Structures are given as structure tokens and as C-alpha cells.
Amino acid sequence: MAVLLDTATLAPRDRRDVLITTMCEAAGVTRVDVEDDEPVRARVDLWTFGSASILRAESTGFANVRTAKAARSTSGEHIAIGVHESGVARYQVGTTLQMVPAGEILVVDVSQPFTFGWRGFGAAQSLNTWTEDLALPVDLVRRAGPRLRSSPLYGLFSRHVLDITRNADRLSDGPAADMLGAASIELARALIATAVEDVAGTRDIVEQTLIVQIRAYVRQHLRDPDLGPGTIAAALAISPRHLHRVCANAGLRLEQWIITCRLDQAKAELVHPGSRHRSIGTISRRWGFKDQTHFTRRFRVAFGMLPSEWRRT
């Protein structure tokens, strides 16, 4: 995590200028107008997940402004898909003004002129990436913006971003950070595509995104002995039947794949120097096997030797 700004660590006279500088750099804007009705309070955090990042900002009132001149000089299409957390934000592109209450999702195309901010104290977080990583035309992204609520993935995306932000310190430092970033971009892609009715292949996009999420969720929860289709479907807010259909269409034998992943992880830990003190039974339980006999049998079928033999070699 990078704490880009915490005004609690600054002298009051410096807070306004530092907030302006931080917002310009973090949000890629030209100008920041800060409300002077009350003392400036703000905190801005940034977490990196491979080619994506999560930015969270809470502050007293402000407005980020990106001018037409700055937009024309941009070197690429940077997209921020935000989930507003508290207060009511204002987002204006040209003459179109959008009010954004808490819980709403907003797509901000930083390559065009806009104004974004709120009055009083507010907070928001956003998933930030490049349009080329979304693999969608920029005009489609812009058309989808006002229609995001029509997507069946609206609630799922909102919960996804909020959950990542709540656990961002741990997740961004973990081995699955890049994978989680890729899954988040895929989910954003599906959200935008399903909000525009005339997109060909929308169903395929949704299913591809779900497969990415299923794989990411399994890898993050391999140690859970109760991991299975029911828990995965519940976590992704889909029915078990839908889960099985998506996996079947992708040629993924879900329960077999879970066992394979667990066996691979257990096999690696058996010979890891840091696990020499752990028994085979302990390691098998650490990777979700409730019964050591079952683990030993599956291990032998998969690798042609017993866990104890593999450990000795």
C-alpha cells in the first residue's frame, strides 16, 4: 500500500496545497478546487494489483477538473471505475451532469474533459486501468457509463471493489495480487459490455469473466476444507446450476480441478525447507484435505508415489 496523503500528519497551513498536488498526480487532473468552508481533512491510499490499481480517497469538499487541452494531450485512455462510498458526488462531462449517491458506480474516462467532486465530507474508491486492458472500444465504454445499472453484474462489481478495498493491505502484498487485478479487469469488462445491449457476444464475455473469477476464488480459498460448488456459487452471487453450466461450457471440471490445485500446493510444501517440521497429515489438512488416507491415495494416483516417498526424494 502507498499512503499518498494523510493530512493528519501535516501542519494545517500545508494541507490545502498538499491535497491539490496529490489529487492532480493521483487522478490525472489539471486543477483541484478545494472548499474553504471547513478545515481541510483528507486521506488518499493506493494499492497495486498487477496492471490494475485501487485508489481510495476521503476528504472534505473538492472538485477535480480536467480541461479540454489536457485531455487532447493525453497519451492513452485511462479509465477509473469508481464505487462512491459516502456523500453525494457530482460528475460532469460537457453539459451532462450526473449526481452520484453512495453505493453508485461511476465510469470516469480520464482522456476526456470532466469535473468530479463533492461538497462536505465524502469518500470513494475506484478500480483504475487502461482501456486497452479492458479490450473494449472507448466509445463503447463512454456509452455504457449512464447505463451501468442495467447490467446484471452491477451489484457484483460494487461488492467486489468494496471487498478488495477493505482487505487491500493484505491482498496487495499476497501472491495472488496480479491474478486478482486481472480478474477485476475482466469483471469491469463484463460490467461495461452487459450495460450496452447491442454488444455482440455479451454472453461469452460474462462467462469468460465468471471463469476468471471462479479460478481466482478457488486459488484464494484452497485451504478451506468446505470449498466447493456451493460456496463458490454463493460467493459469486450465482446459482450452483449456473456455476456448473459455465464451467461445463469452458471445459472445466471444477471439483477435479480443485483437488489438482490442492495436490500441487501440498506437493510443493512437502519439500519446502520451511515445512520440514510439519507432518504429512498437517500439510494435507493445510491444503483442504479432511482425511489423510484420501490425500495419500489421490497423491499416489496423481504423482505415482506416496507423499512420504516424494518427501524423501
Side-chain angles (χ1 to χ4, degrees):
M1 175 189 70
V3 181
L4 303 183
L5 170 66
D6 185 355
T7 56
T9 65
L10 301 174
R13 66 177 180 275
D14 297 329
R15 294 175 181 177
R16 186 179 188 277
D17 290 342
V18 176
L19 173 60
I20 291 172
T21 300
T22 302
M23 285 292 193
C24 285
E25 294 177 351
V29 296
T30 313
R31 188 180 82 241
V32 179
D33 300 329
V34 178
E35 283 185 1
D36 295 321
D37 296 347
E38 58 180 302
V40 171
R41 291 183 294 130
R43 180 180 171 111
V44 181
D45 296 291
L46 179 70
W47 297 271
T48 301
F49 296 89
S51 58
S53 63
I54 294 288
L55 179 73
R56 182 181 184 274
E58 61 177 22
S59 76
T60 45
F62 74 97
N64 283 340
V65 180
R66 185 166 178 83
T67 64
K69 181 179 180 181
R72 286 194 299 271
S73 65
T74 188
S75 59
E77 288 84 17
H78 171 212
I79 299 294
I81 308 174
V83 179
H84 201 58
E85 184 177 321
S86 64
V88 178
R90 297 166 55 93
Y91 176 56
Q92 185 166 356
V93 178
T95 59
T96 303
L97 174 63
Q98 181 179 349
M99 305 303 292
V100 189
E104 289 287 308
I105 300 176
L106 176 70
V107 174
V108 178
D109 177 6
V110 184
S111 66
Q112 63 179 343
F114 71 89
T115 300
F116 173 81
W118 54 72
R119 296 187 61 82
F121 196 82
Q125 50 259 304
S126 62
L127 173 73
N128 301 274
T129 188
W130 298 95
T131 307
E132 62 184 31
D133 290 329
L134 286 174
L136 294 172
V138 67
D139 66 310
L140 186 150
V141 175
R142 292 173 182 172
R143 282 192 291 125
R147 304 169 60 180
L148 290 179
R149 271 206 166 273
S150 65
S151 168
L153 301 176
Y154 189 90
L156 177 60
F157 182 85
S158 178
R159 291 191 298 272
H160 178 76
V161 172
L162 292 173
D163 286 345
I164 291 179
T165 306
R166 292 189 192 102
N167 301 283
D169 287 344
R170 177 173 58 87
L171 293 172
S172 61
D173 289 335
D178 288 2
M179 181 171 56
L180 183 56
S184 300
I185 292 172
E186 284 295 318
L187 180 56
R189 176 173 176 252
L191 169 73
I192 292 169
T194 52
V196 182
E197 296 175 358
D198 59 347
V199 177
T202 289
R203 179 174 174 178
D204 289 342
I205 291 173
V206 174
E207 293 203 352
Q208 291 167 16
T209 301
L210 279 172
I211 285 295
V212 172
Q213 286 192 288
I214 290 165
R215 290 183 181 275
Y217 185 86
V218 167
R219 291 191 178 104
Q220 290 175 50
H221 296 83
L222 277 177
R223 297 181 187 271
D224 181 359
D226 295 322
L227 177 68
T231 57
I232 296 168
L236 299 182
I238 60 177
S239 68
R241 183 178 179 181
H242 188 186
L243 175 74
H244 284 296
R245 180 177 62 78
V246 169
C247 290
N249 289 344
L252 178 66
R253 297 173 59 195
L254 182 59
E255 290 166 293
Q256 181 60 47
W257 182 67
I258 291 173
I259 292 174
T260 299
C261 290
R262 284 174 166 164
L263 288 171
D264 287 340
Q265 294 298 326
K267 181 184 180 185
E269 185 168 352
L270 281 167
V271 294
H272 192 282
S275 297
R276 288 173 181 167
H277 65 287
R278 296 191 178 105
S279 68
I280 291 174
T282 297
I283 291 174
S284 69
R285 288 191 296 273
R286 277 169 55 82
W287 290 106
F289 291 95
K290 297 180 180 180
D291 180 76
Q292 185 178 343
T293 302
H294 173 66
F295 166 70
T296 300
R297 183 172 65 251
R298 295 305 298 255
F299 192 98
R300 186 171 187 175
V301 169
F303 305 117
M305 64 178 71
L306 296 172
S308 56
E309 294 173 327
W310 165 247
R311 195 168 218 182
R312 286 195 299 271
T313 59

